[in-house]
Amino acid sequence: MPSSDFDLLRALDPDPRSKSTVDVQRAITDARRKRAVRGAGYAGTAALTAVAIAGVAIALNPGTKADPTATATGKATATATAPKVVPPSRCTVEKLPAPKGAPMAIIGGADPAGRYFVGRSYPKGGGYQAVIWHDGVGKEVPIPGDDGEEDLRDVNASGTAVGYGYITATRSVPYVYIDGKATRLPGAERGSAYAINDKGQIVGDDEEHPLLWESATAQPRRLPVPAGSTSVLVVDIDEDGTVIGTIDNRQPYIWPANGTPHALPLPALDSENVEARVRYIRDGWVSGVANIGGAKMKSPQGRAGAQIHTVRWNLRTDEVFVDEIESSADAMNALGWQTFVAKKGGARLFADGKVIRLPGLAPLGDDALADIANTLSDDGRTIGGQSNDANGVIQPVVWHCK
């Protein structure tokens, strides 16, 4: 597979843990190389941190090394196998309105059907404003706290969304938006919420521990991590409650809804030093990236020159697939279909071995990340994301595919 330098560069550009001071114009520039991905990362309070996909992992106490070959006593239970669906042949793009005339907005999450979208806008006065769209209509979601720094990361089929907001300039807390109101999730004085399933289970962190809330009103449960781990990053939750994440920025890990947490197998890349990180889980499909590690991979420069492979794990069959697409997946659905950015720019849908172009709002220029598809409905017909307009300003968009 061709090397994809820009993919690693955007992975090394996490959201800030302290309140941003950039203006809208700067945000426009930054957002071109930043994705509002489901399950973005976080930083712990300990001194040791590790660069991870879309963020910085929680740092843990040192100890014995985790066993990457550990097996489960229980397996994640995926829902019934989806019926065969024929991939679409073409897609059209629609710009969604940003509430109150905000000059820029991005979509970072959606429900499985593609009726709800969440993300943030960049108001004229600066900062971030959490936004939810329902059936094409967007509205701001006021999140209490320090003005101008908030985001919604994910939403389920009932319109319940999760994210974060800053209550001081340096302290964020997890929020849930339910029944038209944003409230703090219980049991976490710091941190964020990253993903929610249709049962209402929520995964997030308190900046020190990965957390699972069984509901919006329940106290969180700390997810156990392997002894000796130095960092952990949880990113997503499936409909049965299975949680995925990455240990030490190199070992994919799963917390099954019924069973023992364990490492996922690493793909065979003709090397004994393979690293991998996971991003999404949907109906028993897990998506992530892998590369060959080594001493040079410890620096951002080394990672930027690495060859990245897109990987899928099928939890129902225990199979691992290395997909021949040009960059890591930006979204995945229950069919195992994925979206990605082509090496020379432009969003694409990868469905059953077929690549479908996702047109942008304007012709591609020099910005390889002008169009990014961040969400993908289970039927593969509704895709949400962002696209540069003719003026080079990022706009929230939906692709309709047939």
Side-chain angles (χ1 to χ4, degrees):
M1 179 183 299
S3 176
S4 180
D5 292 355
F6 68 79
D7 179 73
L8 268 175
L9 290 174
R10 46 180 183 164
L12 295 171
D13 188 22
D15 283 335
R17 256 306 177 189
S18 60
K19 187 176 182 295
S20 173
T21 58
V22 300
D23 59 21
V24 170
Q25 187 58 48
R26 174 63 184 275
I28 290 173
T29 302
D30 290 345
R32 287 176 179 166
R33 56 188 178 88
K34 248 171 94 169
R35 294 179 306 155
V37 298
R38 198 175 181 186
Y42 38 86
T45 56
L48 187 147
T49 59
V51 176
I53 290 296
V56 180
I58 286 175
L60 304 171
N61 292 326
T64 59
K65 185 177 181 181
D67 180 6
T69 63
T71 58
T73 58
K75 186 186 298 184
T77 304
T79 56
T81 302
K84 182 70 174 179
V85 178
V86 177
S89 59
R90 62 183 297 270
C91 302
T92 58
V93 64
E94 174 194 7
K95 176 185 171 182
L96 291 185
K100 296 185 178 180
M104 183 180 76
I106 56 178
I107 289 173
D111 76 295
R115 293 190 61 196
Y116 288 95
F117 295 98
V118 292
R120 64 187 182 217
S121 65
Y122 295 80
K124 296 177 181 178
Y128 303 156
Q129 171 62 57
V131 176
I132 186 168
W133 289 266
H134 182 214
D135 291 338
V137 179
K139 70 175 182 178
E140 293 183 347
V141 177
I143 294 181
D146 193 26
D147 186 33
E149 194 76 26
E150 57 196 48
D151 194 15
L152 291 177
R153 297 289 193 178
D154 195 20
V155 62
N156 66 13
S158 65
T160 301
V162 295
Y164 70 86
Y166 275 83
I167 58 174
T168 71
T170 59
R171 179 183 168 198
S172 68
V173 293
Y175 274 91
V176 58
Y177 174 74
I178 186 170
D179 296 330
K181 183 180 179 181
T183 58
R184 285 178 58 177
L185 283 167
E189 294 302 314
R190 311 180 73 94
S192 184
Y194 301 122
I196 183 171
N197 63 17
D198 284 347
K199 293 180 180 178
Q201 295 172 300
I202 300 165
V203 67
D205 75 88
D206 62 3
E207 296 189 11
E208 294 183 349
H209 310 93
L211 302 176
L212 174 65
W213 289 265
E214 291 294 336
S215 71
T217 58
Q219 290 293 317
R221 172 169 60 91
R222 291 182 182 177
L223 297 175
V225 297
S229 303
T230 57
S231 66
V232 59
L233 176 69
V234 293
V235 291
D236 204 1
I237 186 168
D238 210 346
E239 294 303 334
D240 69 345
T242 296
V243 176
I244 60 166
T246 301
I247 302 295
D248 295 339
N249 195 35
R250 61 177 295 123
Q251 177 61 63
Y253 206 75
I254 183 172
W255 291 263
N258 298 295
T260 303
H262 62 280
L264 287 175
L266 295 170
L269 298 179
D270 297 325
S271 173
E272 296 181 355
N273 195 17
V274 176
E275 303 176 347
R277 292 154 292 280
V278 291
R279 291 181 170 179
Y280 313 104
I281 184 170
R282 182 65 186 156
D283 197 29
W285 281 102
V286 177
S287 177
V289 295
N291 62 272
I292 296 174
K296 70 176 183 178
M297 298 302 297
K298 295 180 180 180
S299 69
Q301 294 82 6
R303 290 188 180 276
Q307 186 176 14
I308 292 298
H309 302 264
T310 298
V311 182
R312 286 179 299 157
W313 291 261
N314 187 330
L315 301 183
R316 291 184 290 269
T317 63
D318 292 327
E319 293 176 287
V320 183
F321 302 89
V322 179
D323 293 319
E324 295 300 321
I325 61 177
E326 297 177 18
S327 69
S328 63
D330 294 308
M332 188 184 65
N333 68 5
L335 301 169
W337 297 359
Q338 301 176 91
T339 62
F340 68 99
V341 175
K343 185 178 182 182
K344 294 183 179 180
R348 301 287 189 269
L349 169 64
F350 181 69
D352 286 346
K354 180 181 179 181
V355 176
I356 300 96
R357 175 178 172 269
L358 303 178
L361 293 174
L364 282 175
D366 296 331
D367 188 354
L369 299 178
D371 306 321
I372 304 176
N374 289 321
T375 76
L376 177 60
S377 65
D378 276 349
D379 65 3
R381 265 55 187 175
T382 306
I383 302 171
Q386 61 199 62
S387 178
N388 285 8
D389 62 21
N391 296 317
V393 179
I394 296 176
Q395 303 296 339
V397 297
V398 174
W399 286 274
H400 305 281
C401 301
K402 297 181 180 180

